[in-house]
Amino acid sequence: ALAKERAGRFAPDDVRRSAGLTSWLVRRAAADGSTVLDCTNWAAALRGYGIEAPRPGLDAAAAAGRVVVLSSERALAHPEWGPLEEQIADDVQAILASEGPDEPPADPFDAALSLPLCVVAAGRGIDHGDWTARLEKRAQASGRPLTVVDQAHRLDLAAAAGLLEDHDVDASLVLVGDPDQLEPVAPGRFFHDLVASG
């Protein structure tokens, strides 16, 4: 409505409109927790606004620095969050590629200490503090370097990127959280995405 007021009447497929809607859709998806928007869903959403040829709008939005195209042009992201998503993916892959057992031990504490990255989805009724204290005690006894992040379900994209960047690759990284609890306030669902990935 503001664009119409300032720029006058324009066609539904005007490149300025499709570019603006593209930027808005990416920001709206991030507000819902997803910092990356699948291009198929993006194109379908624009068709709902009467835009049958969305590519010119995407090119205009990307050229203006309002969105970035990721993953071989299969996804869109905000220019602030897109690079963080790629950085996090690279960092997680690097951690997982570090040395670890082919078959983790059955004991959850031993497993957490033997893996380079361990995600503990602890639901309600579990005392996170007690679990973390017991794990840290095992780590001290074994001499294994350990980084434990409690309430990991509250990590937004920027916080997760900073955590991974500062992580000592020789230490076990254990993320403890509850996917059913409050999500991060800022964009990104790092812990939830790790749990969903298996």
Side-chain angles (χ1 to χ4, degrees):
L2 181 61
K4 285 182 178 180
E5 179 183 320
R6 291 187 174 179
R9 300 178 66 77
F10 51 86
D13 61 351
D14 187 294
V15 68
R16 294 170 296 176
R17 179 172 184 259
S18 57
L21 285 170
T22 294
S23 176
W24 174 74
L25 287 167
V26 167
R27 292 195 312 273
R28 190 182 73 172
D32 292 336
S34 178
T35 50
V36 174
L37 178 63
D38 179 80
C39 279
T40 301
N41 296 336
W42 157 75
L46 287 188
R47 282 195 294 273
Y49 288 100
I51 299 172
E52 294 299 326
R55 185 63 197 228
L58 171 59
D59 292 341
R66 296 168 72 182
V67 298
V68 292
V69 183
L70 306 174
S71 307
S72 303
E73 302 198 351
R74 291 191 303 244
L76 307 177
H78 186 278
E80 178 183 351
W81 306 315
L84 286 178
E85 286 281 4
E86 293 187 319
Q87 176 188 330
I88 285 174
D90 290 343
D91 288 344
V92 167
Q93 188 174 25
I95 292 172
L96 292 175
S98 61
E99 193 169 332
D102 293 332
E103 288 292 330
D107 180 85
F109 296 101
D110 290 340
L113 292 174
S114 67
L115 296 168
L117 172 62
C118 182
V119 178
V120 181
R124 293 178 183 175
I126 293 179
D127 186 339
H128 293 201
D130 177 64
W131 199 96
T132 300
R134 291 168 65 188
L135 178 61
E136 290 173 341
K137 188 175 180 180
R138 290 270 193 107
Q140 287 177 350
S142 67
R144 171 70 174 166
L146 175 68
T147 301
V148 181
V149 180
D150 200 2
Q151 303 292 311
H153 54 271
R154 302 290 291 156
L155 288 172
D156 59 50
L157 204 61
L163 169 71
L164 296 176
E165 186 176 4
D166 294 339
H167 174 62
D168 179 359
V169 294
D170 294 326
S172 291
L173 177 59
V174 181
L175 306 174
V176 184
D178 184 351
D180 295 326
Q181 292 294 321
L182 286 174
E183 296 182 358
V185 176
R189 302 173 75 246
F190 173 66
F191 183 81
H192 302 73
D193 291 342
L194 285 178
V195 171
S197 75

